[in-house]
Amino acid sequence: MIHNPHNLLKMKPVIKKIREENSRFERRESETDAENTSSSRRDFLKKSALGGIALGGFITMPIEDTIAQTTSNVNRASYPSDLKITDLRVATIANKHIIKIDTNQGIYGLGEVRDGADARYALFLKSRILGLNPCNIEMIFRIIRQFGYHGRQGGGVCAVEMALWDLTGRAYSVPVWQLLGGRFRDKIRLYADTPEVKDPKEFAEKVRLRMEVQGFTWLKMDLGIHLVANKEGNIVNSKYWAPMAQYDLREFMGYGNTLHPFTQVQITDKGLADLQEYVAMVRDAVGYEIPLCADHFGHFDINNAIRFGRAMEKFRLAWLEDMVPWFDIDNNKILSQALETPVLTGEDIYCLRDGFKPLIDAKAVDIIHPDLATSGGILETKKIGDYAEENNIAMALHMAGSPVVFMANVHCAAATKNFLALEHHSIDSPWWENLVKMTGSKPMIEKGFANVPLDAPGLGIELNEEECKKRLGKEYGWFNPTPEWDMKRSHDRIWS
């Protein structure tokens, strides 16, 4: 596809401004980093400068042997061509399912099943990957891809995929971003998820803390109709679904499981005025230099979504997230065309071909928003970002997991050009970062930005066993054996 440099002019002003700010920051960081680069880091980069798994190889050699030759001076356990997967185990840490893929050489990789998903989505895949070389990531992904689906059902496939990247990086002693083709940035901008507070003054104080103390340069808030539903005359048809704020997902015909057009919930002018007052107080506290995006609006139809969006336009929000379901491509496009504020979706979409490509081809959103633990894993998410870039669409990343999936996102974001910001969902948990130990020289996060590991292999982390065991679930223990998942009991081919 031929890129038109004038396409940037077609972007909504908010996205254009953010991309320009990101570019300036990344250039500044790159210049500073070049001045401060130590000789040991230069040596590491020389050793790990593959430039991508499939590039610069010896044409007559297998890819494993190509990388082995290119990294001949790098310490590793043994020859990567001889690696075989021997086990897949799980530990539930702080309610997040962390998987560990072991090999015959003692090298292992870490992955994570998406928040809210079942660990058995990953355990089910064990029998499909035993005995395979973990460095053949694309081949293994094609074997297991059929067992993923949208939402949390993609969690198992993605957990295995990110663990394979971590394992391969450890085997060749290079960071995952290097295996993806190199990096565009050394620091990853984070957007701070900020749990709702119904009192706008309290919420404004909370976001001020995010900026002034914690150093975040991008904020997100929940802005649902539930914030004003308790006032008489604000919402039409709310009492039928009461309590609207409680999404009992076990009730198939409950509010949380009813598609937006079918609730007949509406927002009155009075309700919109109260929401405007709420956002105004937050915007006054944040100012207009900081991007501020919004989420969790409620289940109402496209007409009310447009009314809602237009009422918020004067506050120049960075985006409105998931106002209609992602698979409703026509209405997402109608919404995008009706509003100046960018619209965004994607956290529940599985894989480029199935979900993102139709959305991108239709130009139905201004920004895509994959969750790497659903979208297919590290490489698939990079492919999604690259395809969006070809169509002049930016990418932000949704994340609500442990530091394991967080670091998988960091490597993906480093290697994807059109990246905007990555969600940090656990800022208020002081123990969260301590669940892992960084194996490189830099801390995980500094003042609202994640550091890309430049001198550490794989994802650049090890589990902090002592801290993890304080929050260890009982069902799977500390990576207990899982022999019950060894045997493959079905013929999985989906064609004849």
Side-chain angles (χ1 to χ4, degrees), residues 93 435 464-473 478:
I93 302 165
L435 293 176
N464 182 347
E465 185 172 344
E466 180 181 358
E467 190 69 31
C468 287
K469 285 185 174 178
K470 294 177 184 177
R471 294 165 180 81
L472 184 65
W478 183 250

PDB file of all heavy atoms in Angstrom, residues 93 435 464-473 478:
ATOM      1  N   ILE A  93      -1.895 -16.218  40.633  1.00  0.00           N
ATOM      2  CA  ILE A  93      -1.249 -15.224  41.482  1.00  0.00           C
ATOM      3  C   ILE A  93      -2.063 -13.940  41.437  1.00  0.00           C
ATOM      4  O   ILE A  93      -2.264 -13.359  40.372  1.00  0.00           O
ATOM      5  CB  ILE A  93       0.199 -14.959  41.008  1.00  0.00           C
ATOM      6  CG1 ILE A  93       1.006 -16.264  41.009  1.00  0.00           C
ATOM      7  CG2 ILE A  93       0.865 -13.895  41.864  1.00  0.00           C
ATOM      8  CD1 ILE A  93       2.292 -16.196  40.246  1.00  0.00           C
ATOM      9  N   LEU A 435       5.575  -8.343  42.096  1.00  0.00           N
ATOM     10  CA  LEU A 435       5.308  -9.734  41.718  1.00  0.00           C
ATOM     11  C   LEU A 435       6.408 -10.290  40.809  1.00  0.00           C
ATOM     12  O   LEU A 435       6.553 -11.502  40.680  1.00  0.00           O
ATOM     13  CB  LEU A 435       3.958  -9.841  41.013  1.00  0.00           C
ATOM     14  CG  LEU A 435       2.720  -9.544  41.871  1.00  0.00           C
ATOM     15  CD1 LEU A 435       1.459  -9.597  41.015  1.00  0.00           C
ATOM     16  CD2 LEU A 435       2.607 -10.525  43.037  1.00  0.00           C
ATOM     17  N   ASN A 464       8.880 -13.102  41.198  1.00  0.00           N
ATOM     18  CA  ASN A 464       9.365 -12.952  42.569  1.00  0.00           C
ATOM     19  C   ASN A 464       8.594 -13.960  43.427  1.00  0.00           C
ATOM     20  O   ASN A 464       7.487 -13.685  43.874  1.00  0.00           O
ATOM     21  CB  ASN A 464       9.130 -11.517  43.041  1.00  0.00           C
ATOM     22  CG  ASN A 464       9.652 -11.266  44.452  1.00  0.00           C
ATOM     23  OD1 ASN A 464       9.982 -12.201  45.184  1.00  0.00           O
ATOM     24  ND2 ASN A 464       9.721 -10.001  44.820  1.00  0.00           N
ATOM     25  N   GLU A 465       9.178 -15.131  43.604  1.00  0.00           N
ATOM     26  CA  GLU A 465       8.459 -16.241  44.227  1.00  0.00           C
ATOM     27  C   GLU A 465       7.936 -15.884  45.609  1.00  0.00           C
ATOM     28  O   GLU A 465       6.796 -16.214  45.967  1.00  0.00           O
ATOM     29  CB  GLU A 465       9.362 -17.473  44.308  1.00  0.00           C
ATOM     30  CG  GLU A 465       8.655 -18.706  44.828  1.00  0.00           C
ATOM     31  CD  GLU A 465       9.516 -19.966  44.725  1.00  0.00           C
ATOM     32  OE1 GLU A 465      10.532 -19.948  43.995  1.00  0.00           O
ATOM     33  OE2 GLU A 465       9.153 -20.968  45.378  1.00  0.00           O
ATOM     34  N   GLU A 466       8.746 -15.200  46.397  1.00  0.00           N
ATOM     35  CA  GLU A 466       8.325 -14.848  47.757  1.00  0.00           C
ATOM     36  C   GLU A 466       7.089 -13.963  47.739  1.00  0.00           C
ATOM     37  O   GLU A 466       6.124 -14.203  48.479  1.00  0.00           O
ATOM     38  CB  GLU A 466       9.475 -14.137  48.476  1.00  0.00           C
ATOM     39  CG  GLU A 466       9.141 -13.732  49.908  1.00  0.00           C
ATOM     40  CD  GLU A 466      10.286 -13.000  50.589  1.00  0.00           C
ATOM     41  OE1 GLU A 466      11.360 -12.840  49.957  1.00  0.00           O
ATOM     42  OE2 GLU A 466      10.100 -12.571  51.746  1.00  0.00           O
ATOM     43  N   GLU A 467       7.086 -12.946  46.900  1.00  0.00           N
ATOM     44  CA  GLU A 467       5.942 -12.033  46.825  1.00  0.00           C
ATOM     45  C   GLU A 467       4.740 -12.721  46.198  1.00  0.00           C
ATOM     46  O   GLU A 467       3.593 -12.519  46.632  1.00  0.00           O
ATOM     47  CB  GLU A 467       6.329 -10.797  46.014  1.00  0.00           C
ATOM     48  CG  GLU A 467       5.309  -9.669  46.065  1.00  0.00           C
ATOM     49  CD  GLU A 467       5.214  -9.007  47.420  1.00  0.00           C
ATOM     50  OE1 GLU A 467       6.235  -8.949  48.135  1.00  0.00           O
ATOM     51  OE2 GLU A 467       4.101  -8.556  47.771  1.00  0.00           O
ATOM     52  N   CYS A 468       4.965 -13.536  45.161  1.00  0.00           N
ATOM     53  CA  CYS A 468       3.859 -14.219  44.487  1.00  0.00           C
ATOM     54  C   CYS A 468       3.136 -15.183  45.419  1.00  0.00           C
ATOM     55  O   CYS A 468       1.906 -15.301  45.376  1.00  0.00           O
ATOM     56  CB  CYS A 468       4.382 -14.984  43.269  1.00  0.00           C
ATOM     57  SG  CYS A 468       4.843 -13.930  41.882  1.00  0.00           S
ATOM     58  N   LYS A 469       3.892 -15.861  46.256  1.00  0.00           N
ATOM     59  CA  LYS A 469       3.272 -16.859  47.131  1.00  0.00           C
ATOM     60  C   LYS A 469       2.403 -16.230  48.215  1.00  0.00           C
ATOM     61  O   LYS A 469       1.571 -16.921  48.815  1.00  0.00           O
ATOM     62  CB  LYS A 469       4.351 -17.755  47.735  1.00  0.00           C
ATOM     63  CG  LYS A 469       4.895 -18.767  46.732  1.00  0.00           C
ATOM     64  CD  LYS A 469       5.879 -19.742  47.355  1.00  0.00           C
ATOM     65  CE  LYS A 469       6.272 -20.828  46.352  1.00  0.00           C
ATOM     66  NZ  LYS A 469       7.269 -21.779  46.904  1.00  0.00           N
ATOM     67  N   LYS A 470       2.557 -14.937  48.454  1.00  0.00           N
ATOM     68  CA  LYS A 470       1.671 -14.244  49.388  1.00  0.00           C
ATOM     69  C   LYS A 470       0.253 -14.143  48.817  1.00  0.00           C
ATOM     70  O   LYS A 470      -0.707 -13.964  49.561  1.00  0.00           O
ATOM     71  CB  LYS A 470       2.201 -12.838  49.675  1.00  0.00           C
ATOM     72  CG  LYS A 470       3.514 -12.789  50.420  1.00  0.00           C
ATOM     73  CD  LYS A 470       3.977 -11.345  50.585  1.00  0.00           C
ATOM     74  CE  LYS A 470       5.347 -11.250  51.240  1.00  0.00           C
ATOM     75  NZ  LYS A 470       5.807  -9.834  51.336  1.00  0.00           N
ATOM     76  N   ARG A 471       0.146 -14.234  47.497  1.00  0.00           N
ATOM     77  CA  ARG A 471      -1.141 -14.067  46.808  1.00  0.00           C
ATOM     78  C   ARG A 471      -1.434 -15.258  45.903  1.00  0.00           C
ATOM     79  O   ARG A 471      -2.066 -15.128  44.870  1.00  0.00           O
ATOM     80  CB  ARG A 471      -1.124 -12.761  45.993  1.00  0.00           C
ATOM     81  CG  ARG A 471      -1.042 -11.544  46.884  1.00  0.00           C
ATOM     82  CD  ARG A 471      -0.669 -10.273  46.165  1.00  0.00           C
ATOM     83  NE  ARG A 471      -0.628  -9.168  47.108  1.00  0.00           N
ATOM     84  CZ  ARG A 471       0.394  -8.901  47.920  1.00  0.00           C
ATOM     85  NH1 ARG A 471       1.488  -9.642  47.865  1.00  0.00           N
ATOM     86  NH2 ARG A 471       0.340  -7.904  48.779  1.00  0.00           N
ATOM     87  N   LEU A 472      -0.967 -16.417  46.313  1.00  0.00           N
ATOM     88  CA  LEU A 472      -1.070 -17.624  45.500  1.00  0.00           C
ATOM     89  C   LEU A 472      -2.402 -18.333  45.706  1.00  0.00           C
ATOM     90  O   LEU A 472      -2.803 -18.603  46.839  1.00  0.00           O
ATOM     91  CB  LEU A 472       0.086 -18.571  45.848  1.00  0.00           C
ATOM     92  CG  LEU A 472       0.201 -19.853  45.021  1.00  0.00           C
ATOM     93  CD1 LEU A 472       0.504 -19.526  43.566  1.00  0.00           C
ATOM     94  CD2 LEU A 472       1.288 -20.746  45.611  1.00  0.00           C
ATOM     95  N   GLY A 473      -3.088 -18.625  44.619  1.00  0.00           N
ATOM     96  CA  GLY A 473      -4.321 -19.398  44.697  1.00  0.00           C
ATOM     97  C   GLY A 473      -4.047 -20.861  44.999  1.00  0.00           C
ATOM     98  O   GLY A 473      -2.965 -21.389  44.692  1.00  0.00           O
ATOM     99  N   TRP A 478       1.893 -23.835  43.335  1.00  0.00           N
ATOM    100  CA  TRP A 478       3.025 -23.154  42.704  1.00  0.00           C
ATOM    101  C   TRP A 478       3.511 -24.000  41.533  1.00  0.00           C
ATOM    102  O   TRP A 478       4.416 -24.782  41.631  1.00  0.00           O
ATOM    103  CB  TRP A 478       4.148 -22.903  43.715  1.00  0.00           C
ATOM    104  CG  TRP A 478       5.312 -22.130  43.141  1.00  0.00           C
ATOM    105  CD1 TRP A 478       6.546 -22.614  42.886  1.00  0.00           C
ATOM    106  CD2 TRP A 478       5.319 -20.750  42.750  1.00  0.00           C
ATOM    107  NE1 TRP A 478       7.348 -21.627  42.361  1.00  0.00           N
ATOM    108  CE2 TRP A 478       6.623 -20.468  42.261  1.00  0.00           C
ATOM    109  CE3 TRP A 478       4.362 -19.729  42.758  1.00  0.00           C
ATOM    110  CZ2 TRP A 478       6.989 -19.209  41.789  1.00  0.00           C
ATOM    111  CZ3 TRP A 478       4.726 -18.473  42.291  1.00  0.00           C
ATOM    112  CH2 TRP A 478       6.025 -18.222  41.811  1.00  0.00           C
TER     113      TRP A 478
END
